[in-house]
Amino acid sequence: MAKYYDEIPESLIEWVRKQHMFWVASAPLGPGGHVNVSPKGTADCFHVVNSHRVWYQDLSGSGVETISHIRENGRITILFHSFEGPPRILRLYGIGTVYEYGTQEYESLIPPETRKPGSRAAIAIDVYQCQTSCGYAVPIYDFVTHRTQLLRSFDLKESHDRATTSTEIHPKGLKAYWILKNLSSVDGLPALQTAPDSKVPCPSTFDKEGPRPKLHRLSSRDADILSTTGAALAVGFAIGALVATALPRILSATGYFSIRA
């Protein structure tokens, strides 16, 4: 059963800090506009200031819908749900504010040592209502690790920017990507406004030598075992079917059934 709160309860704040991902939902005012839902999963991007205010580090991507929608109407909803442990869904309803890369507000929230590669804004949300619901339909998953492909990709783009002077925009750099992809939403609403022109250098704190998560795949040995086992089961099934079909005829031909009768 859903419950509503005027602020985020302390017990839920601790739960939020343990979650590995969250979802962001926003929409334009126009009835023909695209409603956006985005998954966010990079470690240490979401932060709780207090029971009425949260913020997260917004990383670059080919879309920029959340920033556009907040600039137009401010509405935003954050969704958390349990993948492990007791079921739970949590929604934070709020009014968002965008602090772009290079602004004083951004720098106060995201100092160089905590900035992620590709970080383009800090999205702050003033929460006016909090809702919990059962979450009984959410599957149970085991968390393995966070992916690093996005961070590696944008760290490479930022390395191009670092190799140029402050007045140049490298065609393969992050700022060139912002100009190409992040100036407006799919509906044509304005998005990034100052970040592409910022003269603040992108710091390099990403560990390029760190581990690269891999999907779990069967080793060649395990695959051979499964293949051999499957073949053996198939042969056994075929032999069993053949015996089941032929045995009555053999017994009948030898007179076994008539003797027993």
Side-chain angles (χ1 to χ4, degrees):
M1 182 176 180
K3 294 182 179 180
Y4 292 87
Y5 306 87
D6 293 331
E7 61 181 0
I8 311 172
E10 186 63 32
S11 61
L12 293 181
I13 291 177
E14 294 305 313
W15 177 79
V16 162
R17 288 173 174 157
K18 297 177 182 178
Q19 302 311 302
H20 299 297
M21 71 170 295
F22 58 100
W23 304 79
V24 178
S26 61
L29 293 177
H34 290 73
V35 176
N36 184 67
V37 181
S38 297
K40 309 291 183 181
T42 304
D44 302 321
C45 273
F46 192 89
H47 303 269
V48 180
V49 179
N50 54 48
S51 63
H52 285 284
R53 189 169 176 84
V54 299
W55 68 272
Y56 70 90
Q57 190 168 174
D58 186 52
L59 305 184
S60 296
S62 56
V64 67
E65 306 308 294
T66 304
I67 289 177
S68 295
H69 297 160
I70 288 177
R71 288 203 185 284
E72 185 199 44
N73 57 67
R75 300 177 303 176
I76 185 171
T77 298
I78 305 293
L79 170 74
F80 289 91
H81 56 75
S82 293
F83 284 112
E84 53 192 5
R88 174 180 286 159
I89 291 175
L90 170 66
R91 294 178 178 88
L92 303 178
Y93 302 100
I95 300 299
T97 303
V98 178
Y99 301 121
E100 288 191 41
Y101 173 83
T103 62
Q104 291 184 352
E105 294 87 353
Y106 176 96
E107 298 292 337
S108 67
L109 291 172
I110 310 174
E113 61 271 18
T114 63
R115 182 182 177 274
K116 309 288 186 182
S119 177
R120 63 189 175 189
I123 306 295
I125 300 107
D126 292 309
V127 178
Y128 60 80
Q129 191 172 65
C130 170
Q131 180 216 52
T132 60
S133 55
C134 67
Y136 292 163
V138 177
I140 298 175
Y141 287 100
D142 289 329
F143 175 74
V144 178
T145 187
H146 287 285
R147 300 177 191 268
T148 61
Q149 290 97 320
L150 185 72
L151 300 179
R152 290 183 183 278
S153 173
F154 285 109
D155 181 68
L156 178 60
K157 289 184 181 299
E158 291 179 1
S159 69
H160 295 305
D161 289 330
R162 288 190 288 269
T164 63
T165 67
S166 60
T167 58
E168 296 177 327
I169 293 181
H170 194 286
K172 294 184 179 180
L174 178 62
K175 293 180 180 179
Y177 183 87
W178 285 341
I179 293 172
L180 179 65
K181 298 285 189 178
N182 289 175
L183 295 187
S184 62
S185 72
V186 293
D187 297 319
L189 298 175
L192 290 183
Q193 298 176 350
T194 61
D197 297 324
S198 172
K199 301 301 185 290
V200 177
C202 298
S204 178
T205 58
F206 181 67
D207 181 11
K208 303 179 183 63
E209 305 303 322
R212 298 186 180 216
K214 295 182 179 179
L215 297 176
H216 292 288
R217 296 179 180 177
L218 291 176
S219 66
S220 57
R221 177 177 176 275
D222 291 338
D224 289 341
I225 292 174
L226 286 177
S227 178
T228 302
T229 302
L233 288 174
V235 171
F237 179 81
I239 293 175
L242 180 61
V243 170
T245 303
L247 185 59
R249 296 180 182 179
I250 295 174
L251 294 177
S252 177
T254 59
Y256 178 80
F257 285 155
S258 59
I259 291 175
R260 294 284 296 174

